[in-house]
């Protein structure tokens, strides 16, 4: 029997079935196939299991008679998150993640298919996965495509045009102490007394925040300024929920060992996540009698279509540092193209669930971003967006606006997997997107990936963790939560050390994501103010690679308040390493904390421009926490303000 541990290594392995796509269709298919004894791998582009519930927050969950759906529904209801055809999206993600971990399904997040191999019989035998550490291969005898746009199937039929959704819907989740007194608000009541779900107006733009302000304005007009001031926007649809009317599916023939559970390539109507669940189960049943590919065989390889774009400055990552790097470069007159692996910008302060600055120095463009955020927080009678210290949704709106106004281009859902180099210069990078491969040429590149992915792909040396044991800083899996303020439900956040992981190891990163989410489950029912309102889409990784740069900052520099002639910023914090095992830290760090007892004493110094220059590369700059730092200096110089 093969090792079927849910977090075993998967690259260059052979599975019975690989399911691509972690939404409701892929989830249902994976559980069904594993339940039949098949060695099953579930691959997802993001770390968003059951995204139609936990990211789109579909207002109507629907229902299904299958055992998988009944278990999901029963377990969410036992937590208090079910009411008349509605299931709480955050709890669906928690329960679904637990069900996956309890099954025999192996998971791999943060990987997208860019190539497929066919054997001599024309059957799919392997897939080439684009990951942050490069291209990797996975083999299987049978395959199931459950991606929203048919990414795997369309590699084999590139002329195929998926049918567009009939509608794409988004919702606001609003909290108020007395919805019964506000019938004019409309929307849908849920299992939580303080919560009402209101649909955002359609046609207000395709961006994740385009309709937010219009939706809040409409609510304010309906309930009046006094009640709007008592209202809190706890969360909203980070992505849209696509609905499909019944209709003919695009004509195409797939290899006989590939089943397709993509609504855009099928004819069934879809109006709820339960409909997607049924489609996934139907596709899984269709694989039961299909032929199997020859293990390890490659007769023909199909690649995703590739598009080349050219720009002056390419920014890899539009998170905490990359967002402002993009704006700064574009305002400086450069043509800028940023790519972001998720669908949302701003990083840990917007979608990472950390809505407060912990030390660090203010100033620069971040001061403008912060002021724009404060203006939005004060709007709408200082009600829906006022919670802070800074409101993540106000900051997300401000971030999107600043990026758009700067003129910088942005490609979302783009995973960089290759760097082309010519000597000491990076010439281009390749990124996997749902529509194919983007090859981005540029004169200059900014590595804002957080973990130094571009530098690593280009061959720059780096350090990873403590010298004694390689341990990296603790990671967090944050979430939203409610608190009560003068009798009103207001937005809050949960930030805890969920454990340790190596973000450069996709197996370990997947494990960390799943274990962090499952931690939220409780025995019994959630109370109104204990439940997670949403699970942060961005995992709270505090440390990955530290790239070798022309100057590497040390703890001694910080204690001595060192200054640099080429200073570009300032860092200030305490020795915030979250450690309880100081015996494994360096002698310098142990002496500083144990003997001198200085762990809570603020230390600070200037940041050198040379910390942003990776050794051996002439046209790459660092704009994220992977800049030149020793392990001890990293504990201090990693705060949001530092990176911004």
């Amino acid at each position: 029997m093969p090792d079927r541990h849910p977090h075993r290594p998967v690259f260059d392995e052979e599975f019975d079935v690989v399911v691509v796509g972690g939404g409701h269709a892929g989830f249902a298919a994976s559980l069904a196939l594993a339940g039949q004894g098949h060695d099953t791998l579930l691959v997802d582009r993001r770390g968003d299991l059951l995204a139609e519930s936990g990211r789109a927050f579909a207002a109507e969950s629907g229902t299904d008679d299958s055992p998988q759906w009944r278990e999901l529904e029963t377990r969410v209801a036992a937590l208090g998150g079910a009411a008349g055809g509605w299931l709480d999206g955050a709890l669906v993600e928690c329960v679904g993640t637990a069900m996956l971990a309890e099954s025999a399904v192996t998971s791999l997040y943060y990987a997208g298919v860019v190539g497929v191999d066919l054997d001599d019989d024309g059957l799919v035998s392997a897939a080439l996965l684009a990951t942050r550490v490069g291209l990797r291969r996975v083999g299987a005898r049978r395959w199931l495509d459950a991606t929203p746009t048919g990414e795997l199937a369309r590699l084999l039929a590139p002329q195929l045009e998926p049918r567009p959704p009939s509608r794409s819907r988004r919702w606001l989740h609003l909290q108020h102490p007395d919805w019964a007194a506000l019938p004019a608000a409309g929307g849908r009541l849920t299992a939580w007394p303080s919560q009402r779900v209101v649909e955002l107006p359609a046609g207000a733009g395709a961006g994740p925040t385009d309709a937010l302000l219009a939706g809040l304005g409409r609510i304010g007009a309906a309930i009046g300024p006094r009640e709007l001031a008592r209202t809190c926007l706890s969360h909203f649809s980070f992505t849209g929920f696509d609905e499909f009317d019944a209709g003919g599916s695009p004509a195409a023939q797939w290899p006989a060992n590939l089943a397709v559970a993509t609504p855009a390539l099928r004819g069934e109507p879809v109006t709820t996540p339960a409909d997607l669940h049924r489609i996934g189960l139907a596709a899984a049943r269709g694989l039961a009698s299909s032929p199997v590919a020859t293990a390890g065989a490659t007769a023909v390889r199909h690649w995703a279509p590739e598009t080349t774009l050219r720009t002056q400055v390419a920014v890899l990552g539009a998170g905490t540092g990359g967002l402002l790097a993009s704006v700064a470069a574009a305002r400086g007159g450069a043509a800028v193209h940023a790519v972001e692996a998720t669908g949302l910008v701003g990083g840990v302060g917007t979608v990472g669930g950390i809505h407060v600055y912990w030390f660090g120095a203010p100033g620069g463009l971040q001061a403008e971003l912060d002021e724009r955020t404060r203006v939005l927080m004060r709007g709408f009678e200082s009600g829906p967006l006022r919670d802070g210290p800074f409101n993540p949704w106000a900051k997300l709106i401000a971030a999107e606006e600043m990026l758009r106004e700067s003129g910088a281009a942005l490609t979302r859902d783009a995973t960089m997997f290759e760097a082309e180099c010519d000597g000491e210069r990076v010439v281009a990078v390749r990124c996997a997107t749902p529509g194919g491969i983007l090859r981005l040429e540029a004169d200059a590149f900014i590595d804002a990936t957080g973990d130094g992915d571009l530098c690593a792909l280009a061959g720059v040396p780096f350090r990873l963790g403590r010298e004694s044991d390689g341990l990296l800083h603790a990671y967090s899996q944050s979430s939203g939560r409610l608190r009560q303020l003068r009798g009103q439900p207001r937005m809050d956040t949960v930030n805890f050390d969920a454990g340790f992981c190596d973000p450069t190891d996709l197996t370990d990163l997947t494990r960390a994501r799943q274990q962090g989410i499952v931690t939220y489950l409780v025995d019994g029912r959630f109370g109104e103010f204990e439940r997670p309102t949403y699970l942060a889409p961005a995992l709270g990784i505090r440390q990955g690679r530290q790239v070798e740069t022309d100057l590497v900052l040390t703890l001694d520099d910080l204690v001595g308040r060192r200054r640099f002639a080429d200073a570009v910023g300032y860092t200030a914090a305490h020795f915030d390493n979250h450690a309880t095992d100081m015996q494994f830290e360096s002698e310098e760090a142990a002496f500083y904390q144990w003997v001198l007892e200085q762990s809570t004493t603020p230390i600070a110094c200037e940041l050198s421009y040379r910390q942003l220059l990776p050794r051996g590369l002439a046209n790459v700059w660092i704009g994220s926490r992977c800049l030149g730092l020793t392990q001890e200096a990293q504990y201090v110089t990693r705060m949001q303000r530092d990176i911004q």
Side-chain angles (χ1 to χ4, degrees), residues 168-234:
S168 187
R169 303 173 67 188
R170 296 173 184 259
W171 294 270
L172 300 174
H173 287 65
L174 301 169
Q175 313 295 329
H176 187 278
D178 187 15
W179 285 116
L182 300 173
R188 189 195 202 288
L189 296 175
T190 69
W192 313 114
S194 73
Q195 182 167 285
R196 184 167 289 198
V197 181
V198 178
E199 187 166 0
L200 283 166
T209 65
D210 289 347
L212 269 183
L213 299 183
L216 292 175
R218 189 172 68 177
I219 289 294
I223 67 177
R226 179 178 178 276
E227 298 302 334
L228 185 64
R230 303 172 71 198
T231 302
C232 160
L233 173 61
S234 58

Side-chain angles (χ1 to χ4, degrees), residues 284-298:
R285 286 193 295 271
L287 278 181
S289 59
S290 70
V292 297
T294 304
T298 304

Side-chain angles (χ1 to χ4, degrees), residues 22 24 27 44 46-57 72 75-76 79 81 87-101 109-110 235 238 477-479 513-521 532-539:
H24 273 276
F27 170 79
D44 191 63
R46 299 181 184 175
D48 297 344
L49 187 70
L50 300 168
E52 299 89 359
S53 293
R55 297 296 172 268
F57 298 107
L72 180 69
R75 291 173 67 164
V76 171
L79 295 170
L87 296 177
D88 183 279
L91 298 188
V92 167
E93 186 173 3
C94 289
V95 169
T97 302
M99 289 173 63
L100 206 64
Y109 292 166
Y110 313 109
H235 55 298
F238 302 141
Q477 173 55 69
S478 297
S479 72
R513 175 69 167 171
Q514 293 185 341
Q515 290 185 355
I517 289 172
V518 169
T519 302
Y520 282 93
L521 291 174
T533 53
Y534 73 95
L535 295 161
L539 199 61

